[in-house]
Amino acid sequence: MNSPNSAYVTRDLAHVWHPCTQMKDHEQLPPIPIRCGQGAWLEDYSGQRYLDAISSWWVNLFGHANARINAAVRAQLEELEQVILAGFTHEPVIALSEALSAIAPCGTDPLLLRRQRLLGRRGGGENELPLLAQRGP
């Protein structure tokens, strides 16, 4: 293998674990190093394009390098990247919590997020929230 992708493949196979993949498969079918994305398309270091038909595990539903989303992320990064919710708060999390409370099913405790402390947890909290909201307090 002697292409612009080769060095990336070698480095990847030496150091990266790929979830949802049988690593042994990469001996015959190496991972494809992606240089950039635009809309629904990905491009490797050789210029080969690939249709990202699963939106990179469904996280890029609006396409790669979406100008509107990137501008909003840049603006937020200029103001505040992240702050722990242990004793602190910030306007974006307040607005998000208000919006979630406004669309919560009837009878759901509007303070469920705060009472269960799910916004501050790691791990499965993001998966638990819909279940707890459906079940109620």
Side-chain angles (χ1 to χ4, degrees):
M1 175 173 42
N2 192 9
S3 76
N5 293 329
S6 299
Y8 295 100
V9 170
T10 301
R11 290 170 55 201
D12 177 279
L13 293 176
H15 300 286
V16 179
W17 171 71
H18 292 263
C20 304
T21 304
Q22 292 294 320
M23 293 301 292
K24 186 171 177 54
D25 291 347
H26 288 315
E27 294 171 9
Q28 299 298 315
L29 185 63
I32 300 166
I34 298 301
R35 184 184 67 79
C36 64
Q38 183 66 46
W41 293 95
L42 301 171
E43 185 176 304
D44 70 13
Y45 289 86
S46 297
Q48 176 69 41
R49 292 179 63 197
Y50 306 86
L51 177 62
D52 187 2
I54 61 166
S55 302
S56 289
W57 287 139
W58 308 284
V59 295
N60 289 321
L61 297 177
F62 299 103
H64 297 277
N66 180 291
R68 183 175 172 201
I69 293 171
N70 288 355
V73 169
R74 261 189 232 95
Q76 184 60 49
L77 289 173
E78 290 295 325
E79 190 156 324
L80 179 67
E81 306 86 4
Q82 188 271 348
V83 68
I84 191 169
L85 291 179
F88 296 98
T89 192
H90 51 89
E91 197 282 330
V93 79
I94 295 168
L96 173 63
S97 297
E98 289 170 338
L100 291 173
S101 293
I103 64 171
C106 220
T108 300
D109 183 346
L111 299 178
L112 176 66
L113 296 178
R114 189 176 83 189
R115 284 190 21 239
Q116 297 295 333
R117 297 179 303 150
L118 290 175
L119 286 178
R121 282 177 45 183
R122 291 171 288 167
E126 64 279 2
N127 298 320
E128 279 182 59
L129 178 59
L131 299 172
L132 289 170
Q134 190 66 27
R135 184 185 71 197

